[in-house]
């Protein structure tokens, strides 16, 4: 492993993110090559956390655009502050009526379409940040529609946008960009070609135990191991929504809150909602099934 990648891996660990060499390498290359990184994987495997950790390492702002169906350019890029513009027009009208502020109409139009009347949304904010490069997280891009994807192509290629009233605005510092996807739909080839790519699997047993110990201070080693065994076995079942690392951590914190230092079938059944987020999956795991999983987790 190259020294700079090893250093990044160690820095991510300082923020309690246990990064495998493939993850550290992809993040390093994204930063060095100034190319967006598309991170795919099941929900809860730590995709979004990468952006948060890198913002901490770089000591810069994390700017997040949460995608959803129907997301449009105005919501993602900018809007004019119409209320403030109307108020300014009203004041100007009163000044003209009083004979104290008459000005040509074109000058007034220039005034109300100035930067002070612009509401910067995440994409424009990432481009206009001047003190240092921010981290831009475009979260769950698979939830946005293909039209928004097409708009992103231009922004991510040149990191500039054109606002008709103001002209072209270019980034002073290119942001470090992460796009995440849970693969609810296929991302287009054009956007994929603009990005480097990383797929994150559910972690192996030893790594997940290490994550639990790092993220849940004070947890007993025995409980961390038993929780991880239980969850890993659960992922092997035919579930609609298998639990991710985020659910593992939620469950660990819940058991700590209940002052448990080892698993038992009763508590596991009562707290199963920390892991299982689908009613069909909950029905599949009857009381006997949960007890069997607990027994297997404790027996090894």
């Amino acid at each position: 492993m190259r020294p700079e990648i090893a250093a990044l891996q160690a820095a991510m660990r300082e923020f309690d993110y246990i990064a495998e060499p493939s993850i550290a390498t992809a993040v390093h290359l994204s930063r060095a090559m100034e190319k967006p990184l598309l991170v795919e994987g099941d929900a809860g495997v730590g995709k979004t956390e990468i952006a948060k950790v890198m913002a901490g390492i770089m000591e810069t702002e994390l700017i997040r655009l949460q995608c959803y169906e129907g997301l449009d350019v105005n919501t993602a890029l900018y809007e004019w502050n119409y209320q403030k513009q109307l108020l300014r027009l009203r004041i100007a009208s009163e000044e003209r009526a009083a004979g104290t502020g008459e000005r040509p109409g074109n000058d007034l139009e220039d005034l109300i379409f100035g930067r002070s009347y612009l509401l910067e949304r995440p994409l424009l904010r990432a481009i206009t940040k001047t003190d240092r490069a921010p981290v831009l997280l475009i979260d769950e891009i698979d939830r946005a529609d293909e039209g928004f994807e097409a708009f992103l192509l231009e922004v991510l290629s040149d990191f500039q946008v054109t606002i008709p009233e103001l002209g072209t605005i270019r980034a002073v510092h290119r942001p470090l960009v992460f796009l995440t996807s849970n693969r609810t739909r296929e991302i287009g080839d054009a956007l994929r070609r603009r990005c480097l790519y990383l797929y994150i699997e559910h972690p192996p047993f030893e790594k997940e135990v290490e994550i639990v110990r790092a993220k849940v201070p004070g947890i007993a080693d025995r409980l961390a191991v038993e929780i991880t065994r239980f969850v890993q076995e659960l992922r092997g079942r035919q579930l609609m929504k298998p639990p991710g690392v985020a659910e593992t951590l939620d469950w660990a914190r819940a058991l700590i809150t209940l002052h448990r230092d080892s698993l038992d079938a009763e508590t596991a059944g009562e707290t199963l909602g920390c892991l299982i987020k689908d009613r069909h999956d909950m029905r599949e795991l009857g009381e006997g099934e949960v007890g069997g999983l607990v027994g297997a987790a404790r027996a090894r």
Side-chain angles (χ1 to χ4, degrees), residues 158-180:
D158 303 321
F159 285 98
Q160 66 178 38
V161 295
T162 299
I163 299 176
E165 297 85 356
L166 298 177
T168 299
I169 299 176
R170 296 176 177 83
V172 177
H173 303 288
R174 290 175 72 98
L176 177 61
V177 182
F178 296 96
L179 299 93
T180 71

Side-chain angles (χ1 to χ4, degrees), residues 244-259:
V245 177
E247 283 72 36
T248 304
L249 297 174
D250 283 345
W251 196 34
R253 294 183 184 111
L255 293 174
I256 289 293
T257 301
L258 295 173
H259 308 290

Side-chain angles (χ1 to χ4, degrees), residues 116-250:
S116 62
Y117 293 87
L118 194 67
L119 297 174
E120 294 184 350
R121 299 312 184 195
L123 291 181
L124 184 59
R125 179 169 175 77
I127 289 174
T128 58
K129 192 167 175 62
T130 58
D131 54 343
R132 63 176 62 190
V135 172
L136 173 61
L137 170 62
I138 303 175
D139 211 9
E140 297 184 319
I141 181 61
D142 52 317
R143 295 186 179 275
D145 57 32
E146 294 179 2
F148 185 75
E149 251 188 61
F151 162 72
L152 274 182
L153 294 177
E154 180 182 358
V155 176
L156 297 181
S157 295
D158 303 321
F159 285 98
Q160 66 178 38
V161 295
T162 299
I163 299 176
E165 297 85 356
L166 298 177
T168 299
I169 299 176
R170 296 176 177 83
V172 177
H173 303 288
R174 290 175 72 98
L176 177 61
V177 182
F178 296 96
L179 299 93
T180 71
S181 168
N182 295 330
R183 295 185 62 86
T184 59
R185 72 169 178 85
E186 192 65 24
I187 304 301
D189 289 341
L191 182 57
R192 287 183 180 275
R193 286 195 298 269
R194 296 294 194 282
C195 305
L196 301 181
Y197 181 75
L198 173 66
Y199 187 87
I200 301 181
E201 302 274 3
H202 288 291
F205 175 77
E206 293 296 340
K207 179 181 176 181
E208 190 159 11
V209 170
E210 189 176 2
I211 292 170
V212 171
R213 288 170 175 159
K215 290 287 191 178
V216 188
I219 190 169
D221 285 346
R222 175 183 175 183
L223 181 59
V225 169
E226 290 176 354
I227 285 172
T228 305
R229 284 177 181 158
F230 186 102
V231 173
Q232 296 242 330
E233 180 65 27
L234 202 55
R235 290 192 191 118
R237 306 300 173 94
Q238 296 297 318
L239 300 179
M240 299 287 290
K241 297 183 182 299
V245 177
E247 283 72 36
T248 304
L249 297 174
D250 283 345

